[in-house]
Amino acid sequence: MAMTSSVVQTPIARKISTNAVIRTVLANGPISRADIAKLTGLSKQTISDVVRDLQDDGWLKPVGQTDGRPGRNAITYEINARAGLAASIDLGDTRIAAVICDLLGNVVTEINVLTDPRGGTHLINQFSDLLAELALAAGTTTDRLRLVVLGSPGVLDPATGHINVAPNIPGIDAIDLRQLFSDRMGMAVIVENDVNLAAQGEKWRGHGVESSNFAFVALGTGIGMGIIANGALLRGARGAAGEIAYLPIGGDAFDPGGFTLGTFECAVGSEAMLRRYTGFGGRNASTVTDLFAAFNAGETSAVAAIEETARLAAVAIAAIGATLDPEMVIIGGSIGARPELVDAIRRFLPRCTPYPPRIEISRFGNRASLMGGVGIAVERMHDDLFGVKLRDV
């Protein structure tokens, strides 16, 4: 849906009034025109004009009437959520999750498939096909999408969007992923490190809503961290802030073999957990899911493997606490979301640091990156369409 001149090409006063109305409806809707006037301080005539224009252009819709008040009931309005759609994609080493969301951040439709193992430009084709399938399921077409947010493993150069150090996805560091995908879709594409997106997802609607300083630690096939410092995402000089896979913990930091995946990741990632389990004499688990099942059944080798993994993770979190002093550390990912591991980490922390940070399990489980992409997409749509930042609402 295209914006009309009544919303975009208007005098500055009308723009300010429009922004005030949108902000108020986003924060308080469904809401009547009279209540919008009270909250904004704008005249009833101005509110009537702005609401009429926004309704005519499809951005607001009437949803009911006020009741329980003296006098006539008044029509109430809310944002027409389906007037703006965007997509969020979480590119994983083995699976891709993707959603289409609306202006309010509601997930309209979702899909989860295996990642094309060929990587590189084959991923562009796969993304395009997935979005077409999602759009069809949502009763729309991809040309109605306003933007795509893509979360990817690896170190993202914030200036160029180029992805470096993503060893588990072949060829992704050899292409201009953002430009190629944007050209294919004919729309804006935002590429972000997946764990940074997860941290932003927690800031948007997770444990970090009320916190200005926290870290999100992803434990799974790979290891990573997103940092919210003083309310903003911390990227570092090269976009590599939070790459805790390379912490010199759990192995020989001078072993060049750790330069690819990282010393810490080699010690606590899913493959390391299974190696540890086998080393302790375990024979009944070929996947991490099996390992946790064996742990819950009380198998000694599984208990030892998870306890040792938790001990190393606690040391890393102690280092994070000493360096960043976060209010809390939120743990997510396919392994990090497991309460068995997090409970063990909580037990070890007071033994390796005098100031253990609060530990929370992500509210989104392994969907935190996907939800972070939704949050970024919604904020960008609000800003582009109405000049309203989510943090102002």
Side-chain angles (χ1 to χ4, degrees):
M1 181 180 299
M3 293 288 290
T4 69
S5 60
S6 60
V7 176
V8 176
Q9 297 173 351
T10 56
I12 187 65
R14 177 53 67 92
K15 288 184 179 180
I16 293 172
S17 299
T18 300
N19 292 350
V21 170
I22 288 291
R23 185 180 296 112
T24 303
V25 177
L26 282 169
N28 302 281
I31 187 171
S32 68
R33 287 177 293 184
D35 286 337
I36 296 173
K38 290 176 184 178
L39 291 171
T40 62
L42 297 170
S43 71
K44 291 183 179 180
Q45 184 58 53
T46 297
I47 295 299
S48 293
D49 291 344
V50 171
V51 168
R52 183 184 62 248
D53 288 345
L54 287 169
Q55 185 179 352
D56 289 345
D57 293 341
W59 304 109
L60 292 185
K61 65 178 182 179
V63 290
Q65 294 183 330
T66 59
D67 52 21
R69 301 184 187 182
R72 293 188 305 171
N73 291 341
I75 297 173
T76 57
Y77 298 87
E78 69 179 13
I79 296 293
N80 180 14
R82 289 294 294 261
L85 298 173
S88 172
I89 300 175
D90 179 22
L91 170 62
D93 302 341
T94 58
R95 301 197 71 86
I96 297 173
V99 303
I100 285 179
C101 66
D102 63 23
L103 272 175
L104 297 181
N106 302 309
V107 172
V108 178
T109 184
E110 182 170 352
I111 196 169
N112 193 302
V113 299
L114 292 173
T115 304
D116 190 324
R118 296 171 295 178
T121 56
H122 297 284
L123 293 173
I124 306 295
N125 299 330
Q126 188 172 24
F127 297 154
S128 177
D129 291 343
L130 287 177
L131 292 183
E133 186 174 345
L134 283 171
L136 181 63
T140 187
T141 54
T142 55
D143 59 356
R144 295 289 302 277
L145 300 178
R146 294 190 169 273
L147 75 153
V148 180
V149 180
L150 171 65
S152 170
V155 177
L156 179 78
D157 186 320
T160 66
H162 189 263
I163 297 171
N164 302 299
V165 197
N168 294 322
I169 301 181
I172 196 172
D173 55 354
I175 62 174
D176 188 337
L177 180 64
R178 181 171 65 184
Q179 189 62 54
L180 289 173
F181 192 19
S182 179
D183 290 345
R184 170 67 65 85
M185 299 305 301
M187 68 184 70
V189 171
I190 298 172
V191 178
E192 179 61 273
N193 170 268
D194 53 357
V195 188
N196 283 346
L197 273 186
Q200 290 169 302
E202 291 290 339
K203 180 65 177 171
W204 180 45
R205 288 184 177 174
H207 288 293
V209 167
E210 301 296 331
S211 177
S212 296
N213 292 278
F214 68 89
F216 180 96
V217 173
L219 301 176
T221 304
I223 309 297
M225 178 171 68
I227 305 163
I228 301 295
N230 299 323
L233 181 68
L234 182 64
R235 294 186 180 279
R238 297 178 301 278
E243 289 295 322
I244 59 170
Y246 296 93
L247 282 174
I249 294 173
D252 181 3
F254 291 93
D255 179 356
F259 282 19
T260 302
L261 296 179
T263 302
F264 182 52
E265 183 171 309
C266 288
V268 298
S270 56
E271 291 186 7
M273 292 178 70
L274 291 170
R275 287 198 306 270
R276 188 170 291 122
Y277 167 74
T278 302
F280 285 136
R283 296 291 182 270
N284 300 318
S286 57
T287 68
V288 173
T289 300
D290 296 338
L291 174 58
F292 278 103
F295 173 89
N296 288 319
E299 185 180 334
T300 303
S301 299
V303 171
I306 289 175
E307 288 280 304
E308 179 64 9
T309 302
R311 185 183 70 84
L312 292 171
V315 173
I317 292 172
I320 293 166
T323 306
L324 299 176
D325 188 27
E327 295 175 31
M328 71 179 127
V329 173
I330 303 168
I331 305 180
S334 57
I335 296 172
R338 298 292 303 232
E340 303 96 326
L341 179 66
V342 174
D343 287 345
I345 291 172
R346 289 189 179 117
R347 284 190 284 104
F348 279 114
L349 267 175
R351 295 168 56 182
C352 61
T353 175
Y355 305 107
R358 183 173 121 222
I359 304 295
E360 297 287 353
I361 298 176
S362 172
R363 287 179 176 168
F364 301 120
N366 61 3
R367 299 175 78 247
S369 296
L370 198 62
M371 291 301 100
V374 170
I376 296 300
V378 170
E379 179 167 17
R380 175 63 68 89
M381 286 195 291
H382 288 185
D383 191 20
D384 290 348
L385 294 170
F386 312 122
V388 174
K389 297 283 190 182
L390 283 181
R391 57 179 173 272
D392 298 329
V393 174

